Structures are given as structure tokens and as C-alpha cells.
Amino acid sequence: MSWLQQLYDTYEECSKVPEFVSGDNPLLPICHTTQNAHIEVVLDGEGHFLRAKVLSKGELLTVVPCTEGSAGRSGSKPVNHPLCDKLQYVAGDYVAVGGDVTVGFSKNSQEPYQNYLSQLAAWVNSSASHPKAKAIYEYVSKGTLIADLVKAQCLFLDDKQQLLKKWDKAEDAPAIFKILPAGQTAEAAFIRWRVETPSELATATWEDHNLMSAWIRFYNQRESTKGLCMVTGETVALATQHPSGIRHGADKAKLISSNDSSGYTFRGRFTDSEGSQACSVSSEVSQKSHNALRWLVQRKQAYRFGDQVFVSWAKSGEEIPDPFADSHALLGTEPEEAETTNIGDVGQAFAKRLSKKIAGYQTNIADTSNIIVMGLDSATPGRMAITFYRELERSEFLARLEQWHTQFAWHQNFSKDVKFIGTPAPRDIAEAAYGRRLDDKLKKAVVERLLPCIIDQHPFPNDLMFSTIQRVSNRVGMDGWEWEKTLGIACSLFRGTHQQENYRMSLEEDRTTRDYLYGRLLAVADYIEEVSLSDSEKNRQTNAARFMQRFASNPYKTWPMLYDQLTPYIARLKANRKGLWIKLENLLDDIKCKFTAEIFTDNAQLSGEYLLAYHCQRKELWKKIEKDTATDQSDD
């Protein structure tokens, strides 16, 4: 029950903040949900039809009143919403023009409309009535909605005066057929209302807070089962159904559900059909908790991939760093070079920037505010599960996030415009380990495996690291930009999983391990050939690139062959850029002299350490030697 308590507390705190209850993604009041409306009908205060229009894509999302039953409706007889709903509920002439009702209503095709009208009448005739609700009731009672929408060119009839459900003509389709989701007919159009009166400026029912309050008052007057709420500890009206639509408007999966009236879900463990003997939650707590979760999922900080959702938040609603973001997204686009040149090791410069950023979050988030991380996923369309849940102290969460970004920091080259120092995001690690075309299920599984490494500081999975290193070594199989991106991620993973080696993010000329020295040799060979290529040869791979996998498997046997391949390119350098060749020759001699005979002749497979050396040596060559080229050419 902890997650319900935390979400309920989040709702209570955040609903007091004006910016959280307004805007494009408001924290919804209880007894309300959101739907995508397709047609807007405008009435006057007496319930007369004025006009209607088909909505455009940017104005579909609509806050509508709901009941427990309608908020989580499903099955063959879905319950109607009390005010705004689909045509089969709100149009009295729907069946007369050939509209098909949901299969559960087939015995009495007017039942959806009658249920809607009956519920609306009960609200209008109660002490919690509202003028807008009365106007809508007066209009809907006439049963002329379809006819009015046809006159307004929102819906269309065929030659037999029946509702045109699909558009199969050659002419451009009317707006209603363009705005409906793929596979749905005009029967699925959702109606929302606007009531214009001379004395009121707010005409939209989904923006009228007085109307919302009136519906909440009316709904709370209903007869309901009282019992102990296990979240608040009070005896109040219990929820018999819990909302769906948490991840998006069409989401039918529920976190809490019960059904023992058929199928024997509980197998006789409980004697009530609602499941309250297993877990009783008040209606108010259920609605506030689900509304808070829906609001959090829709915020930018939620990580979403298909049905998988991970969301992290502070109960106070303050912004927290996203555990699924890479360091570039976390730190923004602040300049790195100025700090790097002063400090020397880019790792120290990055750690300094990260520490400042985390300190900023420490200041902004209240001491008493816990951080909650929750993962959701569903195996079937109707049921959802919490796949990950942690509650952490603010300082603990920030410290672990800082540790993750520091431990796996490396030079990243994601594209021409996105180059940064830091840690890649989990989804990028998944693609680096298994390729861009990996299966969605595998990608979700990798992300789910990496979250405990970030939040709980679990050891990083070695299989992901080995797979990434293996893919980088097979350079021939990847595009250039993809290989550069994967190389940075592979170096990140190897460095992060070998913290005891204290690898720096710059060239370590005093490191004399076999794998590191071989990686440097490979980088120099790659550079010699690349700078010697003519303009017509620039697009082809170097021999170092083509033989990289073989070199990683048999470095001692492959190096002489690779060096022989350099002969024509060394000759070009001697002829055209002699000064540069002398520097490179001295560098090769310097690296070779650091080998002992024993480790040089060791032909064992190289570890990922060679990639660190290769990356740093290559970066250093292009950074320093190119800078001296102009001087060398003038000397020659």
C-alpha cells in the first residue's frame, strides 16, 4: 500500500500548487478524467443547438466528468460518462440512422442513451445542479444530435439516409474521418459541449471549475459501501472500481482490479465480489492516487517505451533529475572546453560540472521530500503491474545518480551536433549492446536490468559490456556514425566496470599494460593511413578498421600484417609530410619500447582496455599532431 500512500500524499501536496492544476497537463480533480473529443457542439443557455465543428489535432484533449464505472469502463456494456461521451450515449437518434451499439446493449439498443439521460437527469434535478448541465440535458432530451451534426457538416448520411461510417470515395475525406484514430468509424466520435450564455465568459464545460465542483458534490451524495480505507485508516466510502487510462487515454490496463462474479478469479479465497476483503481503498484515495500517477506519467520526466513506463518524482512536485537521461540531457549544453583546458583531465572537469548540478538539486528539493521511482508495465491489455518500486531519501537518490554518471563517464560522440562527456542513457546502452534493430521486448528487458544499477548501485551486467565491446570490434558491420557512438558507450561500460584500474578519460602515456599499448598501436596505424588517403579515398575504411576484430582476437600475429599494409601510406607521408612522419615514427617506437618481450608476444584476446587506449590515442593524435601540421609543412 506504500505506493498508494505516496501517490495520495503527492496529490494532496501538488494540488495546492496553481501551476500544477492548470496548463496542458493539469492535475485532474477527482471524479474527472481526460478523453480525446472529436466534435464540439455549442448550445445556448436554453439548450438550443447553435453550431458544431470537428476539432483539430491540437485541441482534442478534454477533461470530462466521470464515475468509478466510467473511468475504468471496459467489457461488453461499458458505462457512460455523465456529461460528454460517444454518439451511442448522447445521441437519441443514433439507432434511427443505423448506428451500431456495443454488443452488450444489442438486446436494447436504446439502453446506452437511456442510461446517459437518466444519470444526467438525476444530476440536473439534484441540489448540486448546474446551468450548463441543465442546458445540455434539455438539448439531449430532444434526441436530434445526429440530425444537427449532419446539418453542420460534421457527420454525413449515405444514399439510404443512414450514418456514413467510413469514407471510401475518391474525393478528399471530410475532417471527421481524418481526425478519428485509424480503424475507427464515425460511430466512435466523442462529443464535448460548450454552452454560451450572455452572463458568462467561460463557455467550455471542460474549463468550468464551478461545473466540475457541482459534479463532485453530486457524485459524493450517492449511496456507497462504507469501510476501512487502508491508506488513510478512516471509515469512508470504498471504491468498487479503480480507474484505467493511466499511461494514455486509450489505456485500458488497471493497477487494481477484482472480478469474482465470473471466472473465479479469487478461487474462493474471499466471499465478496469487489475484493474489499483483500484490500479496501476509499474512492477518494483511489481517484487522487490514480490522477497523481496519470499526471506524473504525462510529465516530461517519465521514461516511456511502448507499454513500459518508469516515473520518478518528489512528493512536493519539485523537479528532480531524470535517472534515465544521459549526462548531456542532465547537464544541458554548458561549454566544457574552458573548464577542461584549465584542469587537464576532462574527468575532473566533468565531475566538477556534475557536482554543481547535483548541488543545485540538493538546494531546490526540500529535505523532507522523499524520491519515489516506479516502473509500470502490462502483459495484457487489461492488467498492469508495478515492475519496479523504490523510495529513497533525497540525498541518497542524488548521490547514487551522481555515482552512476561519474563511474561510467566517457567521451561520447552521438552525432555531429551531440558530443559530450558523460554517461549514456540506458536505451542507448541497449542499442549499443544489441544493435539498433533489437527487439522491443529485449530493449525493455535491458532497460529494466539497468535501473537497479542506477538506483540500487547493483553491479553492471557483464554480458552487456562484453556484447558492446564485441560489436565495436566488428567495425565493418556498422555505419561510421553508429560505430563512433558505440565506441564511446563501450569505453564507458568498460571503464565503469573496472573502477579499480582508475582509468582516466585522457591518454595515459605511463600505462604499460599489454592491452592498453596494443590499443595505442592500433590508433597510430589507423591515423597514419587516414591522413595519407587522397580525397578520392576518404570514404573507404582503413586497414586498421577492417582488421580491428582480428587484431582484438590475435594482436601479436595481426600487428606485423597490419604494419605491412601501411607501407604505401608511410611512403606518402615521407614524401609529402616528412615532419609529421618523424613524429609518428617516434611515437610508434616509444609505444613499442614500453612492451616487455613477454607481454608483446602474448597473443591472447584483448580486453576492452584496448578500446580506451585506441580512443584516447586517436583523439590525442588528431588534437595535437594536426595542430603542428602547419609548422611541419613550413619546415619541410
Side-chain angles (χ1 to χ4, degrees):
M1 302 299 289
S2 179
W3 64 274
L4 267 177
Q5 178 74 60
Q6 297 293 348
L7 286 169
Y8 176 70
D9 292 345
T10 302
Y11 186 95
E12 290 294 307
E13 288 199 38
C14 294
S15 60
K16 299 171 186 171
V17 183
E19 66 181 281
F20 292 155
V21 294
S22 59
D24 296 336
N25 177 34
L27 185 57
L28 294 176
I30 61 171
C31 307
H32 286 77
T33 187
T34 55
Q35 292 286 324
N36 281 339
H38 307 108
I39 298 176
E40 180 178 300
V41 177
V42 184
L43 309 175
D44 64 13
E46 302 300 322
H48 297 125
F49 180 86
L50 296 179
R51 59 188 178 278
K53 70 170 185 177
V54 177
L55 299 172
S56 58
K57 282 189 176 178
E59 47 187 9
L60 300 183
L61 194 65
T62 307
V63 178
V64 299
C66 68
T67 63
E68 277 186 12
S70 71
R73 67 186 185 185
S74 61
S76 60
K77 296 183 75 171
V79 180
N80 60 280
H81 293 306
L83 196 67
C84 305
D85 214 325
K86 294 183 177 180
L87 288 173
Q88 70 168 344
Y89 300 102
V90 299
D93 51 351
Y94 176 74
V95 177
V97 295
D100 294 325
V101 295
T102 309
V103 62
F105 299 119
S106 56
K107 290 183 179 178
N108 178 11
S109 55
Q110 283 292 340
E111 187 179 351
Y113 173 66
Q114 291 167 353
N115 291 343
Y116 169 80
L117 207 59
S118 171
Q119 189 177 53
L120 190 54
W123 181 15
V124 168
N125 295 322
S126 73
S127 59
S129 181
H130 190 277
K132 284 192 174 73
K134 284 183 179 177
I136 294 167
Y137 175 73
E138 290 297 329
Y139 173 70
V140 173
S141 300
K142 299 173 187 172
T144 59
L145 178 59
I146 298 283
D148 291 334
L149 291 178
V150 170
K151 290 177 187 173
Q153 298 284 299
C154 293
L155 295 177
F156 300 87
L157 300 179
D158 58 18
D159 298 338
K160 298 178 181 177
Q161 296 303 301
Q162 298 294 292
L163 182 65
L164 188 63
K165 299 172 184 176
K166 293 182 180 178
W167 186 261
D168 51 6
K169 300 179 182 178
E171 296 86 11
D172 190 27
I176 186 62
F177 297 102
K178 294 179 181 176
I179 201 66
L180 287 167
Q184 292 197 359
T185 65
E187 296 169 311
F190 194 97
I191 308 297
R192 74 182 188 189
W193 309 100
R194 189 183 285 273
V195 180
E196 293 181 348
T197 56
S199 59
E200 196 169 6
L201 292 176
T203 58
T205 56
W206 59 96
E207 294 174 350
D208 190 334
H209 293 282
N210 290 330
L211 179 67
M212 293 178 184
S213 300
W215 168 250
I216 294 170
R217 284 200 308 278
F218 169 73
Y219 193 65
N220 287 336
Q221 292 171 2
R222 75 193 191 286
E223 291 184 3
S224 55
T225 305
K226 303 281 185 181
L228 177 68
C229 174
M230 293 187 176
V231 175
T232 61
E234 299 172 353
T235 302
V236 289
L238 296 179
T240 54
Q241 293 191 47
H242 300 272
S244 60
I246 293 171
R247 295 168 295 188
H248 49 80
D251 186 12
K252 298 299 181 186
K254 293 183 180 181
L255 274 171
I256 308 174
S257 60
S258 61
N259 171 26
D260 212 24
S261 59
S262 63
Y264 302 102
T265 309
F266 298 148
R267 306 288 181 188
R269 291 185 178 88
F270 307 108
T271 56
D272 68 322
S273 59
E274 289 81 21
S276 58
Q277 293 174 344
C279 171
S280 55
V281 181
S282 72
S283 177
E284 181 185 352
V285 167
S286 174
Q287 291 184 49
K288 287 185 174 179
S289 301
H290 283 85
N291 281 356
L293 183 55
R294 186 182 296 117
W295 174 67
L296 291 165
V297 168
Q298 298 300 327
R299 296 181 82 187
K300 291 180 182 177
Q301 64 195 61
Y303 170 84
R304 305 179 64 173
F305 183 75
D307 289 337
Q308 186 185 55
V309 175
F310 287 98
V311 60
S312 53
W313 76 94
K315 283 196 295 184
S316 55
E318 290 138 338
E319 185 184 358
I320 64 169
D322 181 4
F324 287 91
D326 57 36
S327 300
H328 182 258
L330 181 68
L331 298 177
T333 55
E334 296 173 18
E336 299 172 356
E337 294 301 327
E339 295 180 23
T340 305
T341 51
N342 292 333
I343 295 177
D345 188 348
V346 291
Q348 293 180 34
F350 168 76
K352 183 181 174 183
R353 290 179 66 217
L354 180 64
S355 181
K356 284 169 64 179
K357 189 74 176 182
I358 295 296
Y361 283 113
Q362 289 272 16
T363 306
N364 294 334
I365 303 173
D367 289 340
T368 55
S369 189
N370 281 351
I371 305 294
I372 300 102
V373 184
M374 178 187 279
L376 306 171
D377 202 354
S378 57
T380 65
R383 299 290 182 270
M384 189 189 302
I386 298 175
T387 56
F388 186 89
Y389 184 79
R390 296 288 187 280
E391 292 177 23
L392 299 98
E393 295 288 335
R394 175 203 64 171
S395 56
E396 189 180 19
F397 173 79
L398 294 176
R400 291 181 180 183
L401 204 58
E402 184 176 5
Q403 172 66 21
W404 164 257
H405 282 272
T406 306
Q407 181 178 343
F408 290 89
W410 194 258
H411 303 273
Q412 306 296 341
N413 184 3
F414 281 18
S415 68
K416 183 180 177 182
D417 300 321
V418 183
K419 296 178 181 177
F420 63 95
I421 295 166
T423 299
R427 61 174 176 274
D428 292 317
I429 294 175
E431 290 183 359
Y434 296 111
R436 286 183 293 141
R437 296 180 180 85
L438 82 165
D439 180 69
D440 286 352
K441 288 183 179 178
L442 181 57
K443 193 171 187 177
K444 287 164 67 174
V446 172
V447 171
E448 207 164 300
R449 289 178 68 192
L450 292 181
L451 190 56
C453 303
I454 303 170
I455 303 299
D456 300 333
Q457 295 186 319
H458 284 186
F460 190 90
N462 278 335
D463 60 307
L464 293 179
M465 178 194 67
F466 290 135
S467 176
T468 308
I469 292 171
Q470 186 68 27
R471 288 193 70 241
V472 172
S473 298
N474 186 17
R475 185 171 177 172
V476 178
M478 284 189 278
D479 295 333
W481 67 269
E482 184 186 4
W483 184 81
E484 290 289 348
K485 178 179 178 179
T486 310
L487 173 63
I489 294 173
C491 291
S492 280
L493 302 187
F494 187 82
R495 178 175 181 264
T497 51
H498 293 78
Q499 285 289 287
Q500 69 280 7
E501 300 293 336
N502 293 319
Y503 290 113
R504 297 205 303 265
M505 279 189 280
S506 54
L507 183 63
E508 298 179 59
E509 294 182 346
D510 54 347
R511 191 175 285 274
T512 56
T513 55
R514 182 192 73 118
D515 296 359
Y516 201 86
L517 292 174
Y518 266 121
R520 292 185 66 187
L521 284 180
L522 184 67
V524 176
D526 191 37
Y527 181 80
I528 289 172
E529 184 171 348
E530 196 160 353
V531 296
S532 306
L533 293 175
S534 63
D535 291 340
S536 61
E537 298 172 315
K538 288 291 183 187
N539 292 328
R540 73 166 176 80
Q541 287 189 325
T542 63
N543 284 296
R546 292 194 297 117
F547 289 105
M548 194 167 184
Q549 188 173 29
R550 183 172 174 178
F551 183 84
S553 301
N554 304 286
Y556 173 64
K557 291 184 177 178
T558 308
W559 171 249
M561 183 196 68
L562 182 60
Y563 191 79
D564 287 344
Q565 297 288 330
L566 294 177
T567 303
Y569 308 106
I570 292 174
R572 288 186 193 179
L573 280 181
K574 287 179 178 177
N576 302 321
R577 303 176 70 177
K578 190 174 180 181
L580 176 59
W581 164 243
I582 292 173
K583 288 179 182 293
L584 292 172
E585 188 178 33
N586 290 337
L587 178 60
L588 281 173
D589 290 342
D590 182 53
I591 295 171
K592 289 176 182 174
C593 287
K594 290 179 178 175
F595 279 100
T596 63
E598 185 179 351
I599 66 170
F600 186 70
T601 55
D602 183 356
N603 199 38
Q605 183 173 357
L606 296 174
S607 69
E609 186 183 30
Y610 94 96
L611 292 175
L612 302 183
Y614 171 84
H615 202 186
C616 289
Q617 183 65 71
R618 192 184 64 161
K619 196 172 182 66
E620 194 71 12
L621 283 168
W622 284 103
K623 183 179 173 183
K624 286 186 176 179
I625 297 182
E626 276 294 309
K627 194 183 292 182
D628 299 335
T629 300
T631 308
D632 297 335
Q633 287 175 335
S634 63
D635 292 344
D636 297 339

